[in-house]
Amino acid sequence: RRDNLHKLTTRLVKDYDTIVVENLSVKNMMKNHHLSASIANAAWGTLVSQLKYKCAWYGKQLIIIDPKNTSRICHECKQKNHEFNSLSQSEWLSTREWDCPNCHAHLDRDVNAAKNILAKGLETLA
Ligand SMILES: [Zn+2]
């Protein structure tokens, strides 16, 4: 996995001048007792640390943003979906697609979050 991470981070840093990632807290993820989440988080930490030093090597920019609400805000209309507040953590984690109650956009959870993360990062440059 380490070799795959190296290939991935080298490709990302070579292909993009600016990379935006979420500052995911190890502590919060460890409170969650799902083993897969802990493993995924360990890989995430390694990925971010590789991005940090490789961006420095290649003169690229890494922006690390606060993950607050990046999954819950609709990237189309920028409204937060408050319907998620009533879900349990496992219900929330298993929600892969959703419809925005405000603008009715049909959203893929990961794609929507990625667009919010990029927008949030680019705001810091303005
Ligand atoms: Zn919307």
Side-chain angles (χ1 to χ4, degrees):
R1 192 175 67 204
R2 202 172 181 84
D3 188 49
N4 283 337
L5 275 179
H6 269 296
K7 283 181 187 148
L8 173 65
T9 54
T10 296
R11 201 185 74 216
L12 287 171
V13 171
K14 284 185 172 170
D15 285 356
Y16 300 98
D17 292 334
T18 302
I19 298 169
V20 186
V21 295
E22 288 188 313
N23 181 19
L24 296 182
S25 154
V26 175
K27 220 163 50 184
N28 285 344
M29 292 290 272
M30 291 304 179
K31 276 183 208 153
N32 174 335
H33 296 292
H34 297 289
L35 186 61
S36 59
S38 302
I39 291 168
N41 191 59
W44 179 256
T46 306
L47 182 135
V48 173
S49 67
Q50 288 179 8
L51 287 175
K52 276 183 190 164
Y53 68 74
K54 290 181 185 179
C55 278
W57 284 352
Y58 291 94
K60 302 297 182 78
Q61 188 166 34
L62 180 67
I63 302 172
I64 300 175
I65 59 127
D66 181 349
K68 192 167 190 278
N69 294 327
T70 51
S71 299
R72 295 165 188 255
I73 291 170
C74 166
H75 81 268
E76 297 282 354
C77 70
K78 313 299 176 203
Q79 294 298 303
K80 184 176 166 189
N81 184 348
H82 294 281
E83 289 175 3
F84 292 142
N85 297 349
S86 60
L87 299 182
S88 70
Q89 189 176 29
S90 64
E91 283 171 330
W92 162 238
L93 289 175
S94 64
T95 302
R96 305 313 308 170
E97 295 177 19
W98 51 282
D99 292 308
C100 174
N102 184 54
C103 74
H104 310 292
H106 183 73
L107 304 162
D108 175 281
R109 178 204 181 102
D110 293 334
V111 173
N112 179 63
K115 288 178 177 174
N116 286 331
I117 292 162
L118 178 62
K120 216 167 171 178
L122 295 179
E123 272 172 28
T124 69
L125 296 178

